[in-house]
Amino acid sequence: MKTNVCVIFGGRSTEHEVSIISANQAMHACDKEKYNVIPLYISKKGVMYSGDALLDITNYKNLSSLLEKCEKVVLYNDGNGVVMDRIKKPLFGGKKPVTIDIAVPVVHGTNVEDGSIQGWLETLDLPYAGCDVTSSALGMDKVAMKDVLAARGIPVLPCKCFYNRQWFETKKSIVSEIETLGYPVIVKPANLGSSIGISVAKDKAELISSIDNAVAFAEKILVEHAITAIREINCSILGDFNTAKASVCEEPVSADGFLSYDKKYKEGAKGGSKGMASTKRIIPADLPDNITKRIQQYSVETFKALGCCGVARIDCMIDKDTDEIYVNEINTIPGSLAFYLWEKTNLSFQSLMDELISIALKRRREKSNLTFSFDTNLLELHGGVKGTKTNN
Ligand SMILES: Nc1ncnc2c1ncn2[C@@H]1O[C@H](COP(=O)(O)OP(=O)(O)O)[C@@H](O)[C@H]1O
Ligand SMILES: [Mg+2]
């Protein structure tokens, strides 16, 4: 019997469109002999849709006509497992709810990739591919991620962090604290991706306008030293804590050393449907063996330190002036699931999907050995609410 795989994408995120591309790539890569692929598209308003029309990327050019061809659905646990059901039922008969065996979230950005979707799937008790709640949340918050990595001795650039409320109240002292880093600096929303809200500041005036811009995108902001002679090297990791392995490295290419949203997704994309796979890049990155190995090692360590699972991409930076290597960030659900890196590591996109699904099912088996409830019924034991004193 085929496994029913629900690929979840979209959602209330600034990287909504990128997720549509990544998910469509992933759905087409799945082995149709083994899996029934069931798309679950979450609109920007949070409405869930399913239907075969979601499997054709060209349909997304006209979203409203696409959604007319789809049905609004809901996932719920009926006691025997998780099913997908239509919200509007036909008056007579109609299709039965579909059992979902496993979910594959292919979402990017805040409100989805940050543990939100993962928490929802945990609550439903549905096995899912990729990082769990904690690793997803840590991976999305650049400041929390730096704290964990620094504590493990993995090199990251130090940063100054503040909330937009503080910025409006104490601009002056925040600016002077940041200036101890020395210009140029780079201002980033702590929990976004795709370079949204990010800019480099060379002086005080630019710093203030960069932060004014960033606070429109996120509550938490970080500022760090901007490396002027930068090489960016990315590496994907696949597996779990015991099996984590590194892909070849890539070097995304940009003329002015800053990878903007447009450069990542628009340049080189024919028809705009290739997502992260369309970025201009060199694979494998042209690096001395020892540097490649160090970057792969930092990437494995980062994946493990954050408790990741599935496929992730770790982005590193080399400061060409000092030869220092820093881990810049992790993408716990990387654009295009980093298939283009695994293809160059002798793993096809189809096998990558197989591995993601089997790692998820393995985690499920391991987790099912854990104890989540005690046999005694606390309410029975204490004769109801009256006699119960909680201690938590
Ligand atoms: N410390 C830095 N110095 C110089 N450039 C940087 C630095 N940090 C980030 N960048 C540039 O900004 C881009 C986006 O930053 P990043 O931290 O990767 O955020 P995002 O999550 O939006 O991808 C990077 O790809 C790189 O080009
Ligand atoms: Mg990045």
Side-chain angles (χ1 to χ4, degrees), residues 129-131 149 154 233-250 292-316 327 329-343 345 347 352-353 355-356 359:
C131 286
L149 300 191
I154 301 166
I233 309 291
N234 305 337
C235 175
S236 179
I237 303 295
L238 175 65
D240 57 23
F241 190 84
N242 296 312
T243 62
K245 60 181 175 201
S247 72
V248 294
C249 293
E250 65 165 332
T292 300
K293 289 214 173 81
R294 266 175 69 197
I295 288 173
Q296 289 173 325
Q297 185 199 330
Y298 288 149
S299 300
V300 169
E301 286 172 7
T302 298
F303 188 89
K304 289 185 176 182
L306 300 172
C308 295
C309 190
V311 69
R313 198 189 74 232
I314 288 85
D315 297 351
C316 298
V327 171
E329 65 157 343
I330 185 167
N331 294 281
T332 53
I333 304 181
S336 302
L337 296 184
F339 80 86
Y340 52 90
L341 283 173
W342 289 103
E343 276 182 350
T345 317
L347 188 76
L352 173 65
M353 296 310 295
E355 285 220 21
L356 283 178
I359 295 164

Side-chain angles (χ1 to χ4, degrees), residues 13-14 110-111 162-168 171 187-193 195-199 207-222:
S13 153
T14 44
T110 324
N111 300 324
F162 53 92
Y163 290 88
N164 55 9
R165 224 172 327 103
Q166 289 173 283
W167 174 243
F168 298 126
K171 268 188 195 185
V187 178
K188 307 180 184 181
N191 62 354
L192 292 186
S195 302
I196 294 163
I198 297 187
S199 54
L207 175 63
I208 292 170
S209 71
S210 292
I211 299 175
D212 281 339
N213 174 51
V215 292
F217 292 98
E219 286 180 328
K220 194 173 174 184
I221 307 296
L222 75 97

Side-chain angles (χ1 to χ4, degrees), residues 5 7 25-32 35 37 350 353 357:
V5 178
V7 175
Q25 293 168 329
M27 290 191 287
H28 287 289
C30 285
D31 185 346
K32 305 297 179 306
Y35 312 115
V37 176
Q350 183 170 308
M353 296 310 295
I357 291 167

